[in-house]
Amino acid sequence: MRKIAIIGAGESGAQLALGLQREGYEVTLFSDRSAAQIRTGKVMSSQCMFPTALAAEAQLSSALTKLYDNEAVPGIGAIRLRVEGEPGSGAIEWEAPLEGTAHSVDQRIKSAAWIEAFVAGGGDFRIEKVTPRMLEELARDYELVIVSTGKGEIAQIFPKDRSKSPFDRPQRVLALNYVSLNSVSFDTVSTDTSPEPSHPNDSIRMSVVPGVGEFFTFPGLTVSGPCQMMVFEGIVGGPMDKWTDVTSPEEQLSRSLEILEEHFPHEAKNFANATLTDEGATLLGRITPTVRSAVGELGNGNLVFGLGDAVLLNDPLTGQGSNNATLAAKYYLDSIIRRGQQPFDRQWMERTFDEFWRGWGQWAVAWTNDMLKPRREHQQAVLAEAADHPALAASIAGGFDDPRTFYPWWFDPAAATEFVQARKDEDSSAFDLRDFRGALGQFATGVTVVTTLGVDGRKVGMTANSFTSVSMEPPLVLWCPSKRAPSLADFEDATHFAINILASDQHVLSRQFATPATDKFAGAETTEGIAGIPLLDGAVATFQCRTVSRHDAGDHVIYVGEVEKYENAGGEPLLFHSGKYHAATNHPDF
């Protein structure tokens, strides 16, 4: 049984501890506070968990299952955006549904519940303030030491990665309140295309005043019951940077209401009767968005592995912090399990973090960091167009759940124009295309990465599940890329392509090849096939094909290839159904 120590019992550390405990690892979890002290202390953050992260949370542990099943936990089903325009011009306003339900549960509740579940499962939980000197001792006694807290001097063990950290100072001054609302009726966004919400307070309401800052609010569950969370993000040195003389929670709430009156008057009356939920219901702070090396070297030469806030610290503006932490814990758990009995060396640590960074972290960080800057012309235009096009608004809202969908259009004006047109086409379609995609998603498939070689020698690849056999004699297969696929031109120019059917443990590669990137093959091990096409190592089967025909098919192209060579390595395939990855299991009736 492998021994692992985890420092920090927050969003990432506690969940990783529970996941490892379930898999039979001997885990010691360290925290500077007990579950009871956390539950009765001050709030630790704002947090809104979107569907993708909630799914990962459920896979890591069942500790919160009953909590989410409780009707006391409000569901969040939409994002409602308001961006103030220039003086004399109107505001941009729209509302769009999320594809699934999001939830916000006070981290005091969650962390305490995770610790208690870990202890109930026989875990070794220790209340200690871990120092760098103590880390040296732990690194001698445990096969792997993971630091998941970004607080205190141990965070400095992980050097800042300046290539991934564009800011050297905070970009926002933050203020957070958890409040109860008495006899309040939230205003709804009133535009011709904005659907009326099923309940006026089931949304994330985000208001932006250029040059001033942002205010967003959403329902959640805190230690005293349902509440409304108020988050202020003021530009440093700007009109909302006025918290330094606040000396009590009551003063903070009073100042908050003054700021609403001055800068967000459309929200002010919604909080006129707000009261704090408890004595610890406020938080002030300034965060410098930072990415650090995931490997820390101690004075005795031993290594520790960074996770969560210890190595990736986001401004809360886009609500990615808790989501990143949970998804990182899931990536780390999978990598630890795959490692088997091999040593947890530097190379493994770097590769594990790089998998998370390439597969998820980089997209959330780049989008959040860009949102801290003034909107560029094409971004402002897209946000404005969304008020008249529900499919466009829904796509933007969906990016809060999966930031990879903001690429490349959020950063590229030409891609933005194409993206907007595609969403407009959806609005004029005969079907509700989102629902139609959902219906098609009921057909479970395998997952492939289709690869080829560009005329300039570049390796090219994209994730696809539109693959099927066509003929046994001659041996033909087909797949269907979108006409909007960035690498379509490379496949048009190539004589050959390869279908790589992914194994169940290659979901990281599936995400990697499904997202725009300068080098999708970074970290992927390949061998060379016919005509130089790259073949992915570890695939359960590969088919090397000569392109024999292409057929126009609406917004896709059908590629038919004749198999010239194949390999059948076997193994458990990666499956995709209803928008999620699955593993194959035997049917219980057989």
Side-chain angles (χ1 to χ4, degrees):
M1 186 181 295
R2 309 200 73 173
K3 294 179 61 178
I4 297 175
I6 298 177
I7 319 302
E11 199 88 37
S12 57
Q15 292 194 85
L16 178 57
L18 285 165
L20 290 169
Q21 182 184 61
R22 184 194 64 227
E23 296 294 330
Y25 290 81
E26 185 178 337
V27 183
T28 302
L29 179 61
F30 292 82
S31 172
D32 60 357
R33 292 181 294 165
S34 68
Q37 288 171 325
I38 291 172
R39 189 178 281 113
T40 58
K42 283 184 68 66
V43 299
M44 296 181 280
S45 71
S46 64
Q47 65 287 307
C48 182
M49 298 291 288
F50 295 101
T52 297
L54 285 172
E57 187 180 83
Q59 292 170 342
L60 287 161
S61 163
S62 61
L64 300 180
T65 301
K66 291 183 179 179
L67 182 66
Y68 287 125
D69 289 341
N70 189 329
E71 291 183 0
V73 181
I76 299 172
I79 290 179
R80 303 166 68 185
L81 178 70
R82 178 186 175 101
V83 181
E84 297 296 336
E86 296 295 328
S89 63
I92 296 170
E93 291 186 275
W94 50 259
E95 176 183 303
L98 294 168
E99 285 215 25
T101 301
H103 293 289
S104 178
V105 177
D106 188 339
Q107 281 191 343
R108 293 177 295 181
I109 296 175
K110 294 169 74 173
S111 292
W114 286 325
I115 290 170
E116 289 165 349
F118 180 74
V119 173
D124 181 8
F125 176 66
R126 302 183 189 181
I127 304 171
E128 294 186 58
K129 184 177 178 61
V130 177
T131 63
R133 180 64 179 270
M134 187 176 173
L135 277 181
E136 294 182 5
E137 298 172 3
L138 293 173
R140 288 195 296 266
D141 297 336
Y142 290 84
E143 294 178 76
L144 176 63
V145 176
I146 296 173
V147 176
S148 67
T149 174
K151 298 178 181 178
E153 56 184 335
I154 62 173
Q156 304 309 311
I157 291 170
F158 304 100
K160 185 175 182 179
D161 187 337
R162 299 192 179 279
S163 68
K164 298 173 181 172
S165 303
F167 303 119
D168 58 5
R169 66 197 67 185
Q171 301 300 296
R172 295 290 190 272
V173 54
L174 313 174
L176 170 66
N177 310 319
Y178 288 8
V179 299
S180 298
L181 301 175
N182 301 310
S183 302
V184 63
S185 176
F186 273 72
D187 286 344
T188 58
V189 176
S190 56
T191 65
D192 292 339
T193 58
S194 295
E196 287 297 316
S198 58
H199 186 282
N201 190 20
D202 68 349
S203 307
I204 299 173
R205 297 170 58 87
M206 188 170 187
S207 300
V208 180
V209 180
V212 175
E214 299 83 18
F215 170 73
F216 50 98
T217 181
F218 45 89
L221 181 72
T222 187
V223 291
S224 61
C227 70
Q228 191 72 18
M229 299 183 183
M230 307 172 67
V231 186
F232 295 84
E233 292 244 340
I235 293 175
V236 175
M240 282 173 61
D241 188 353
K242 50 172 65 177
W243 305 98
T244 54
D245 61 339
V246 168
T247 59
S248 69
E250 291 72 25
E251 281 188 35
Q252 180 168 322
L253 179 57
S254 177
R255 184 65 51 82
S256 298
L257 299 180
E258 292 173 7
I259 288 175
L260 286 184
E261 287 283 0
E262 182 176 0
H263 300 292
F264 307 95
H266 61 285
E267 286 281 11
K269 62 183 178 182
N270 296 326
F271 292 90
N273 299 315
T275 57
L276 295 173
T277 57
D278 62 276
E279 292 182 357
T282 61
L283 186 67
L284 291 173
R286 298 167 187 251
I287 293 174
T288 301
T290 304
V291 180
R292 297 180 179 277
S293 167
V295 182
E297 186 167 345
L298 304 174
N300 61 3
N302 287 331
L303 303 178
V304 292
F305 193 19
L307 168 67
D309 285 353
V311 292
L312 198 160
L313 190 60
N314 269 62
D315 188 285
L317 178 61
T318 58
Q320 297 303 302
S322 293
N323 294 267
N324 283 341
T326 296
L327 289 160
K330 183 65 170 62
Y331 270 85
Y332 280 35
L333 174 64
D334 292 345
S335 183
I336 290 170
I337 293 171
R338 292 198 307 269
R339 192 62 174 169
Q341 295 301 312
Q342 298 180 68
F344 299 115
D345 54 19
R346 179 187 290 272
Q347 184 179 20
W348 172 82
M349 294 179 185
E350 290 175 343
R351 185 172 65 249
T352 298
F353 177 77
D354 191 49
E355 283 184 353
F356 166 67
W357 176 255
R358 285 185 281 106
W360 191 271
Q362 65 172 322
W363 314 109
V365 167
W367 175 54
T368 300
N369 288 349
D370 193 77
M371 285 287 285
L372 293 167
K373 303 172 184 177
R375 298 282 67 74
R376 297 193 287 284
E377 184 177 347
H378 76 277
Q379 295 167 344
Q380 192 75 4
V382 173
L383 295 178
E385 291 254 36
D388 297 318
H389 299 284
L392 178 56
S395 293
I396 296 171
F400 283 79
D401 176 43
D402 187 349
R404 296 171 304 172
T405 62
F406 282 109
Y407 295 82
W409 69 266
W410 183 256
F411 300 88
D412 183 334
T417 299
E418 184 176 324
F419 179 80
V420 169
Q421 186 58 51
R423 303 292 82 76
K424 288 180 179 179
D425 292 345
E426 286 192 25
D427 283 337
S428 60
S429 173
F431 293 146
D432 176 340
L433 291 191
R434 177 179 294 203
D435 188 64
F436 183 51
R437 276 193 294 267
L440 292 173
Q442 294 303 318
F443 181 65
T445 70
V447 182
T448 76
V449 170
V450 187
T451 54
T452 192
L453 198 69
V455 293
D456 56 359
R458 287 178 300 107
K459 296 177 182 178
V460 178
M462 69 169 78
T463 301
N465 64 347
S466 56
F467 161 72
T468 188
S469 62
V470 175
S471 167
M472 298 297 288
E473 185 57 46
L476 301 177
V477 298
L478 69 76
W479 70 292
C480 307
S482 167
K483 289 180 179 177
R484 292 192 172 97
S487 54
L488 181 61
D490 293 303
F491 285 95
E492 290 178 343
D493 292 337
T495 60
H496 289 74
F497 63 85
I499 304 289
N500 303 267
I501 300 180
L502 298 186
S504 61
D505 62 357
Q506 291 183 306
H507 53 87
V508 172
L509 286 180
S510 173
R511 290 189 182 278
Q512 183 170 321
F513 280 92
T515 309
T518 304
D519 181 10
K520 290 186 179 183
F521 287 82
E525 297 181 359
T526 63
T527 54
E528 187 174 305
I530 296 172
I533 53 176
L535 308 176
L536 294 177
D537 293 354
V540 296
T542 57
F543 300 91
Q544 301 180 54
C545 308
R546 176 177 58 85
T547 301
V548 294
S549 63
R550 301 181 183 88
H551 305 275
D552 187 275
D555 56 10
H556 280 62
V557 179
I558 298 172
Y559 272 71
V560 179
E562 181 172 352
V563 180
E564 295 186 343
K565 186 176 182 181
Y566 75 92
E567 292 184 11
N568 181 13
E572 294 295 327
L574 180 64
L575 302 182
F576 195 72
H577 170 255
S578 194
K580 297 177 182 178
Y581 294 115
H582 297 268
T585 58
N586 292 329
H587 195 283
D589 291 344
F590 297 97

